[in-house]
């Protein structure tokens, strides 16, 4: 937890009320975002995202598996976040474990939709090789290296960048296989299929401080929040997921206004993130 004096708390709250935050930003302005791709050679895809002093890495590993009997037409996706104890003092011991679980669950809600897969930002049907028999299992790991607020938005951006960097090996399936047998597959070492990230949303977290809400809150600003709502929005402006934290309730009309603001802010964030990912991948190819 960030320890602030009474004067510092008033300064942060007063600045937000006047639409001039302590680092000079307006309420709905993000910090500069930087993207680096291909940071983990052993993974099928990886990316590092820095949002001010918040620094996170996401990696994607793909393995062949078998679809579940309840969803034979869908691959499986698992998201897990680890908070490095060196990222912030509160991450030491059980504090880090609890936050890791909270972030993992929030990312699954916002990116993978409900249990039925409805509203999923990542399409699990695209991971099926042979329906009911062979699919790709995606293991998405996030690592918090340094924390200065807004971890959820940064991790979602890193996952989007890592999936854009992901190449899944092409799989050839033997034609002559009985219906009750597991088909033989041949995994290519040379041909890779690029992951389609056009439908993957970004997450916009609106943090309520006093009467106002802000985007991309720093740790100091988060320490003054009453509640926060994280909304995942895709390129078409569709809401893919929503999660809330903080003990204070919110009026439904305020949540509807937050969703409207998140849609507006997400357009700028998606465009900025797309250009940063394209620049990072071009730099990776040159090197």
């Amino acid at each position: 937890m960030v320890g602030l004096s009474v004067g510092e708390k008033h300064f942060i709250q007063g600045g937000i009320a006047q639409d001039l935050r302590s680092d000079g930003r307006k309420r709905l302005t993000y910090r500069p975002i930087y993207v680096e791709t291909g940071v983990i050679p052993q993974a099928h895809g990886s990316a590092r995202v820095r949002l001010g002093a918040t620094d996170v890495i996401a990696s994607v590993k793909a393995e062949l598996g078998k679809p579940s009997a309840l969803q034979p037409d869908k691959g499986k996706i698992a998201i897990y976040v680890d908070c490095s104890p060196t990222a912030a003092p509160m991450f030491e011991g059980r504090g880090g474990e609890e936050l890791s679980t909270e972030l993992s669950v929030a990312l699954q809600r916002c990116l993978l939709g409900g249990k039925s897969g409805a509203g999923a930002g990542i399409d699990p049907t695209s991971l099926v090789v042979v329906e009911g028999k062979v699919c790709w299992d995606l293991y998405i790991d996030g690592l918090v290296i340094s924390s200065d607020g807004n971890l959820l938005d940064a991790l979602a951006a890193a996952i989007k960048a890592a999936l854009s960097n992901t190449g899944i090996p092409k799989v050839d399936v033997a034609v002559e296989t009985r219906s009750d047998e597991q088909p033989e597959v041949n995994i290519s070492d040379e041909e890779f299929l690029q992951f389609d990230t056009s439908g993957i949303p970004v997450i916009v977290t609106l943090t309520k401080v006093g009467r106002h809400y802000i985007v991309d809150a720093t740790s100091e600003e988060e320490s003054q929040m009453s509640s926060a709502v994280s909304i995942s929005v895709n390129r078409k402006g569709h809401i893919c997921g929503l999660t809330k934290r903080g003990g204070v309730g919110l009026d439904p009309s305020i949540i509807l206004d937050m969703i409207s603001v998140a849609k507006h802010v997400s357009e700028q964030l998606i465009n900025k993130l797309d250009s940063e990912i394209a620049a990072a991948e071009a730099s990776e190819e040159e090197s």
Side-chain angles (χ1 to χ4, degrees):
M1 204 68 175
V2 179
L4 298 174
S5 68
V6 175
E8 287 171 322
K9 291 176 182 178
H10 285 315
F11 180 73
I12 290 169
Q13 293 168 4
I16 289 171
Q18 295 176 39
D19 201 13
L20 183 63
R21 294 155 73 176
S22 52
D23 56 8
R25 289 182 291 150
K26 291 185 176 294
R27 287 193 287 260
L28 300 181
T29 304
Y30 271 80
R31 290 170 287 184
I33 187 167
Y34 302 99
V35 178
E36 188 181 350
T37 55
V39 293
I40 303 177
Q42 300 90 338
H44 286 103
S46 60
R48 180 177 185 174
V49 166
R50 280 175 292 154
L51 202 55
T54 293
D55 193 352
V56 299
I57 288 177
S59 66
V60 180
K61 196 79 175 172
E63 294 180 3
L64 281 179
K66 187 176 181 180
S68 69
L70 295 174
Q71 296 180 321
D73 61 338
K74 293 176 180 176
K76 298 193 285 287
I77 306 165
I79 300 176
Y80 179 75
V81 176
D82 183 30
C83 296
S84 170
T86 59
M90 67 178 191
F91 291 173
E92 293 178 8
R94 291 196 59 81
E97 291 176 18
E98 289 170 4
L99 184 62
S100 295
T101 303
E102 182 185 322
L103 289 168
S104 303
V105 170
L107 285 166
Q108 287 173 32
R109 281 181 188 162
C110 290
L111 300 180
L112 304 183
K115 289 184 178 179
S116 65
I122 304 172
D123 182 14
T125 59
S126 64
L127 301 173
V128 172
V129 179
V130 180
E131 187 170 328
K133 294 187 175 181
V134 184
C135 71
W136 283 107
D137 294 340
L138 284 191
Y139 298 95
I140 302 172
D141 291 302
L143 174 64
V144 177
I145 302 171
S146 176
S147 173
D148 186 25
N150 204 24
L151 288 175
L152 198 59
D153 295 21
L155 284 163
I159 288 171
K160 186 177 174 73
L163 287 168
S164 177
N165 181 245
T166 297
I168 295 180
K170 186 179 178 184
V171 177
D172 292 318
V173 182
V175 179
E176 296 179 9
T177 308
R178 293 212 314 263
S179 59
D180 59 339
E181 287 183 350
Q182 194 70 2
E184 290 185 17
V185 294
N186 183 35
I187 303 173
S188 173
D189 291 330
E190 298 177 353
E191 290 186 76
F192 293 86
L193 304 175
Q194 207 63 29
F195 203 91
D196 180 16
T197 58
S198 59
I200 296 176
V202 293
I203 294 178
V204 176
T205 298
L206 292 161
T207 304
K208 195 167 187 293
V209 179
R211 294 184 177 182
H212 304 276
Y213 39 81
I214 57 175
V215 301
D216 190 22
T218 63
S219 293
E220 289 186 347
E221 290 169 336
E222 285 181 346
S223 72
Q224 301 306 300
M225 78 172 193
S226 57
S227 59
V229 174
S230 298
I231 303 157
S232 61
V233 189
N234 67 16
R235 194 180 302 277
K236 295 179 181 178
H238 296 160
I239 304 299
C240 299
L242 186 148
T243 184
K244 175 189 173 294
R245 73 180 193 275
V248 178
L250 290 171
D251 188 270
S253 62
I254 292 177
I255 292 180
L256 289 173
D257 187 46
M258 284 179 151
I259 289 172
S260 177
V261 170
K263 283 184 177 182
H264 172 69
V265 172
S266 69
E267 289 181 31
Q268 304 165 27
L269 181 58
I270 286 172
N271 290 335
K272 175 63 176 172
L273 190 55
D274 283 348
S275 64
E276 284 293 322
I277 291 170
E281 288 180 341
S283 174
E284 186 187 349
E285 287 173 8
E286 286 175 9
S287 61

